[in-house]
Amino acid sequence: MREVFHQSLEDVQGRLVEIAELVTVAIDKATRAFGTSDVALAEEVIEADAVIDEKAIELDELAIEILARQQPVARDLRIVVSALRMSASLERMGDIAEHIAQLTRMRFPERAIPKGLKSTFLKMGELDVEVARQLTELLRTQDESLIDAVRNADDSLDDLHLSVFEKVLSDSWQGEAAATVDATLASRYHERFADHAVSVAKKVLYLSTGDWTTTTDTITVVAPEQ
Amino acid sequence: MREVFHQSLEDVQGRLVEIAELVTVAIDKATRAFGTSDVALAEEVIEADAVIDEKAIELDELAIEILARQQPVARDLRIVVSALRMSASLERMGDIAEHIAQLTRMRFPERAIPKGLKSTFLKMGELDVEVARQLTELLRTQDESLIDAVRNADDSLDDLHLSVFEKVLSDSWQGEAAATVDATLASRYHERFADHAVSVAKKVLYLSTGDWTTTTDTITVVAPEQ
């Protein structure tokens, strides 16, 4: 039974990694599409999101099947419950990639990226892809040093998110209301990826420390100051 | 054992209702604080969010204990897993109320609500409270007619969210960039409550239909058109 359980857990882990890989591709394509107004690339992201949703449902079904058939207790039980939560966070990251792709498509043939913020959004996009890669690697290897890497990238993204507000609220900002709306929404989306990544990373940490309460999602309080 | 399980489920349900009630209070206070620039009321929401987080953790612990001790299968198992997901959505609704309260506090003594959008945000706030009340009642009574009520309110909130963008992007909009940022963020927060409420309501529906796949969160594609 124990061996069957461990095979099942490996299956769960493999699927989490697979979903994280798909999410990484979605984030990479969405942020590049946004940066370059590539509507074809944006369409790819929008179409592919259904695959991520499906994989997440399959993983949930597998986790529920494991709970029903193998009736794990203690730490084993928490691993399976964690997997359910990680899948929800990964699925949400896919949704946010889709949001960015939709914003890109809606603005086409205009540029979605507001003037004066190109380099900031390119940096945010690169960091988002890095975070997604680190998260995938963390899920694959359980190498805890990657948890700090994910947290650091989240901090950098929070800083960049604030810098978008600083720019938009500065005297030098010449964007119309539409550009301000786009900057606000796009920056929020770019920043949210990392919040979800930290949330998943914390659950991996729980599995080694056993401290469940730290796995609750903390909110990132990032809002524009005037 | 069966009876013990049913008592446990009643306990889970009671706690979901309790959290939903706290969330309703948070949404009521946050949206009123936002509408009237009441910073004391905003502070109350910010302080009280820790209680919602704690209650959600306690509910999760209870659900995990039920899984471990009573090893439910089939529909019973799915009820417990659903409770874990509902608690995550309710907790997130509390976070969003806190975001609105923070925005109110950050703008104080200025008005957080952008000029020209007061009646729209008041309507959104009222609908958010209504949605939270309907959801609480749904969790308490399992009265499925409330699911449609929640969905209808979500549709109305999506329309109001779009109307905020229409206003901000119209020629009549005279707000500075800061007002545009506030309108964008606040509208997104006001609209998100209902998305989470629909997500919880769908899980209640699943419990009667058994159709698990419909419980996956769909994303609301509401973005500004130019």
Side-chain angles (χ1 to χ4, degrees):
Chain A
M1 192 65 179
R2 190 77 201 159
E3 199 174 321
V4 173
F5 181 70
H6 275 283
Q7 276 172 7
S8 303
L9 273 198
E10 272 178 34
D11 192 2
V12 165
Q13 189 200 1
R15 286 173 192 232
L16 280 173
V17 170
E18 187 191 4
I19 298 173
E21 282 168 347
L22 291 172
V23 167
T24 304
V25 170
I27 294 177
D28 179 41
K29 286 186 178 174
T31 53
R32 280 193 291 125
F34 181 73
T36 59
S37 303
D38 185 337
V39 75
L41 202 57
E43 294 283 2
E44 279 181 39
V45 175
I46 294 163
E47 265 181 46
D49 191 56
V51 180
I52 294 174
D53 292 350
E54 208 175 294
K55 297 269 177 197
I57 289 174
E58 283 170 16
L59 174 53
D60 291 354
E61 285 301 317
L62 175 64
I64 289 169
E65 201 185 296
I66 293 170
L67 290 175
R69 293 202 180 187
Q70 305 185 26
Q71 313 246 320
V73 293
R75 184 166 178 274
D76 291 348
L77 170 58
R78 282 166 191 266
I79 290 175
V80 179
V81 171
S82 293
L84 278 167
R85 292 175 159 174
M86 292 189 207
S87 110
S89 292
L90 290 169
E91 196 251 314
R92 186 71 201 135
M93 290 169 82
D95 287 345
I96 299 173
E98 192 183 11
H99 284 338
I100 292 177
Q102 282 163 334
L103 201 56
T104 307
R105 183 171 68 178
M106 196 165 289
R107 290 293 166 260
F108 188 79
E110 302 292 314
R111 270 177 30 164
I113 205 162
K115 261 184 205 161
L117 285 169
K118 182 145 190 171
S119 68
T120 306
F121 275 114
L122 289 185
K123 256 186 253 161
M124 288 183 104
E126 280 164 21
L127 271 170
D128 284 329
V129 175
E130 200 180 306
V131 152
R133 286 202 181 120
Q134 286 161 343
L135 188 63
T136 309
E137 203 52 23
L138 172 62
L139 290 169
R140 193 196 317 273
T141 63
Q142 321 283 310
D143 171 1
E144 285 177 36
S145 70
L146 289 161
I147 298 172
D148 276 340
V150 170
R151 282 194 170 129
N152 291 339
D154 179 41
D155 289 342
S156 303
L157 277 157
D158 286 347
D159 290 344
L160 286 164
H161 184 44
L162 278 180
S163 81
V164 169
F165 288 129
E166 274 164 23
K167 173 83 185 176
V168 166
L169 301 177
S170 72
D171 293 338
S172 71
W173 179 247
Q174 300 189 331
E176 309 257 310
T180 307
V181 169
D182 285 356
T184 305
L185 285 180
S187 184
R188 170 112 182 122
Y189 296 149
H190 278 76
E191 174 258 334
R192 286 294 290 163
F193 285 127
D195 291 341
H196 288 288
V198 168
S199 159
V200 174
K202 275 187 191 165
K203 287 172 184 67
V204 176
L205 184 65
Y206 152 71
L207 297 176
S208 62
T209 65
D211 184 7
W212 182 256
T213 56
T214 63
T215 65
T216 311
D217 294 349
T218 49
I219 50 164
T220 310
V221 181
V222 177
E225 281 193 69
Q226 268 181 271
Chain B
M1 190 67 178
R2 191 75 201 158
E3 197 174 321
V4 174
F5 181 71
H6 274 284
Q7 276 171 7
S8 304
L9 273 198
E10 271 179 32
D11 192 4
V12 165
Q13 191 201 359
R15 287 172 191 234
L16 281 172
V17 170
E18 186 193 4
I19 299 174
E21 282 168 345
L22 291 172
V23 167
T24 305
V25 171
I27 294 176
D28 179 41
K29 288 185 177 175
T31 52
R32 280 193 292 127
F34 181 74
T36 58
S37 302
D38 186 336
V39 75
L41 202 58
E43 293 284 1
E44 280 181 38
V45 175
I46 293 164
E47 266 181 45
D49 191 55
V51 180
I52 294 174
D53 292 351
E54 209 174 291
K55 297 270 178 198
I57 290 175
E58 283 169 16
L59 173 55
D60 291 355
E61 285 301 318
L62 175 65
I64 289 168
E65 200 185 297
I66 293 170
L67 290 175
R69 293 202 181 187
Q70 306 186 25
Q71 314 247 322
V73 295
R75 184 166 178 275
D76 291 346
L77 170 59
R78 282 168 190 263
I79 290 175
V80 180
V81 172
S82 292
L84 279 166
R85 292 177 160 172
M86 291 187 206
S87 109
S89 293
L90 290 170
E91 195 252 315
R92 185 73 199 133
M93 289 168 83
D95 288 345
I96 300 173
E98 192 184 9
H99 284 338
I100 292 176
Q102 283 163 336
L103 202 56
T104 306
R105 183 171 69 178
M106 196 167 288
R107 289 295 166 259
F108 188 79
E110 302 290 314
R111 272 176 31 162
I113 205 162
K115 264 184 203 163
L117 285 170
K118 182 145 188 172
S119 68
T120 307
F121 275 113
L122 289 185
K123 255 186 253 162
M124 289 183 103
E126 280 164 21
L127 272 170
D128 284 328
V129 175
E130 199 180 308
V131 153
R133 287 201 180 121
Q134 287 162 343
L135 188 62
T136 308
E137 204 52 24
L138 172 62
L139 289 169
R140 192 197 318 271
T141 63
Q142 321 283 313
D143 170 2
E144 285 176 38
S145 72
L146 289 162
I147 298 172
D148 276 341
V150 169
R151 283 193 168 128
N152 290 340
D154 179 42
D155 288 343
S156 302
L157 276 157
D158 286 347
D159 289 344
L160 286 164
H161 184 45
L162 278 180
S163 82
V164 170
F165 288 129
E166 273 164 23
K167 173 83 186 178
V168 166
L169 301 176
S170 73
D171 294 336
S172 71
W173 179 246
Q174 299 188 333
E176 308 258 309
T180 308
V181 168
D182 285 355
T184 305
L185 285 180
S187 183
R188 170 110 182 122
Y189 296 149
H190 278 76
E191 175 258 333
R192 286 294 289 162
F193 285 126
D195 290 342
H196 289 287
V198 168
S199 159
V200 174
K202 275 187 191 166
K203 287 171 185 70
V204 176
L205 184 64
Y206 151 71
L207 297 176
S208 61
T209 64
D211 184 6
W212 183 255
T213 56
T214 62
T215 65
T216 311
D217 295 348
T218 50
I219 49 164
T220 309
V221 182
V222 176
E225 280 193 71
Q226 269 183 270

